[in-house]
Amino acid sequence: MRYAAPTSVAEVVALLGTDPEARVFAGATDLVPQMRAGRPEPGLAVDLKKIDRLMDVSLEVGTWRIGAAAPTGDLTANAALAADLPGLVYAGGLIGSDQIQNRASLGGNLCNASPAADSVPSLVVNDARAVVAGPDGERTVAVLDIPTGPGRTSLAPGEFIVCFEVDRPPARTSDAYLRLIPRTEMDIAVVGAAARITLDGDGNCAGAAIALGAVAPTVVVVPAATEALVGGPITDGVLAAVAAAASETANPIDDKRGTVTYRRQVAGVLAKRAVTEAAGRAGNGGGQ
């Protein structure tokens, strides 16, 4: 296996064009365990952490640009980012241990394409976009459209994610992410739920998005929950409708971490709690 550490996006594109089996990596927190588990080594491993654009986290004209290789530890240490997107930052901080978070990245978490990836539901409810580079130049894709199934993405050969774009939330808007895991730390989500809520001046819900992880081959949004929320106050009855919609939308599997029935029930509970938490933050002045 050859190793390369380019310093520009153009160099990465050129390198990937030389070897159809090449793989990019940011922290290798997925790549190395996969190779140790018996997956074939790539002919060329391309390290993305030497490229400033992929490591940068900055706010430009109302849009956060988060490098696809930026360590999640950098996100949790960024007070301005955490103030704007507390749910997303919290989700990023759940990826592995403190040591892992010095290497792990949102790009890796997305492109590993695990249905239980913690950061992806939060990226989805915040309408995050991925800037993708490849042999035909750059294109911008909704994060929701990147994973296509467990371990699979919509990226074409030779493409990789450069950064994420997330618009700053408007006034009285905030997000939240919750998950259930079998242990207290460093485990894979049985169910994950993200919510983003916007409140109007009277405290009614003016906008909402809910997304679930670990309950389908990819992250799923819950439009019926949004319909139940928008246009009125967030009452116990509305929250019950949110929970029912999340449970109905969930399409999980049975495995050693949970049954289908259990996961559907948990999806409803977590969706309701995530909405409540996001709405509380929005009511306390979330957003710009």
Side-chain angles (χ1 to χ4, degrees):
M1 182 176 67
R2 294 179 295 131
Y3 167 83
T7 58
S8 71
V9 169
E11 286 182 73
V12 178
V13 172
L15 283 165
L16 295 181
T18 67
D19 187 341
E21 301 301 321
R23 283 191 63 182
V24 298
F25 70 92
T29 57
D30 290 314
L31 178 62
V32 170
Q34 288 167 1
M35 289 192 298
R36 287 177 174 170
R39 291 196 190 181
E41 292 184 356
L44 172 63
V46 182
D47 189 343
L48 301 177
K49 283 197 180 291
K50 304 293 184 182
I51 304 171
D52 290 343
R53 188 177 171 196
L54 274 82
M55 296 292 287
D56 182 56
V57 178
S58 60
L59 179 62
E60 301 175 19
V61 197
T63 298
W64 282 102
R65 287 180 172 79
I66 304 171
T72 55
D74 288 1
L75 309 187
T76 56
N78 190 317
L81 179 64
D84 274 355
L85 302 165
L88 175 58
V89 170
Y90 174 74
L94 293 175
I95 301 170
S97 64
D98 289 346
Q99 294 92 332
I100 290 294
Q101 289 167 25
N102 287 319
R103 298 290 300 172
S105 65
L106 297 188
N109 199 227
L110 175 64
C111 291
N112 190 48
S114 166
D118 282 309
S119 67
V120 181
S122 290
L123 286 167
V124 168
V125 298
N126 283 293
D127 292 324
R129 305 169 300 276
V131 178
V132 177
D136 296 324
E138 294 189 3
R139 61 191 180 100
T140 301
V141 187
V143 163
L144 182 63
D145 295 331
I146 296 291
T148 58
R152 303 192 305 274
T153 74
S154 61
L155 299 178
E159 289 190 326
F160 64 100
I161 296 177
V162 175
C163 67
F164 297 98
E165 296 178 342
V166 187
D167 294 332
R168 289 192 72 195
R172 296 176 63 80
T173 300
S174 196
D175 67 331
Y177 176 74
L178 297 171
R179 69 174 184 175
L180 175 71
I181 59 175
R183 302 185 300 179
T184 57
E185 297 289 343
M186 292 190 298
D187 211 337
I188 298 170
V190 175
V191 178
R196 171 169 152 149
I197 299 294
T198 299
L199 301 178
D200 64 19
D202 296 322
N204 295 320
C205 182
I210 294 90
L212 304 174
V215 296
T218 63
V219 166
V220 291
V221 296
V222 190
T226 299
E227 292 171 7
L229 284 160
V230 174
I234 302 177
T235 62
D236 289 344
V238 168
L239 291 173
V242 167
S247 294
E248 178 66 23
T249 301
N251 184 28
I253 60 171
D254 280 310
D255 64 14
K256 64 184 179 181
R257 294 181 297 121
T259 65
V260 167
T261 300
Y262 179 64
R263 279 192 160 115
R264 283 180 172 153
Q265 175 69 19
V266 171
V269 172
L270 291 186
K272 179 173 67 174
R273 291 179 181 176
V275 166
T276 301
E277 186 171 315
R281 289 172 175 164
N284 287 327
Q288 300 179 51

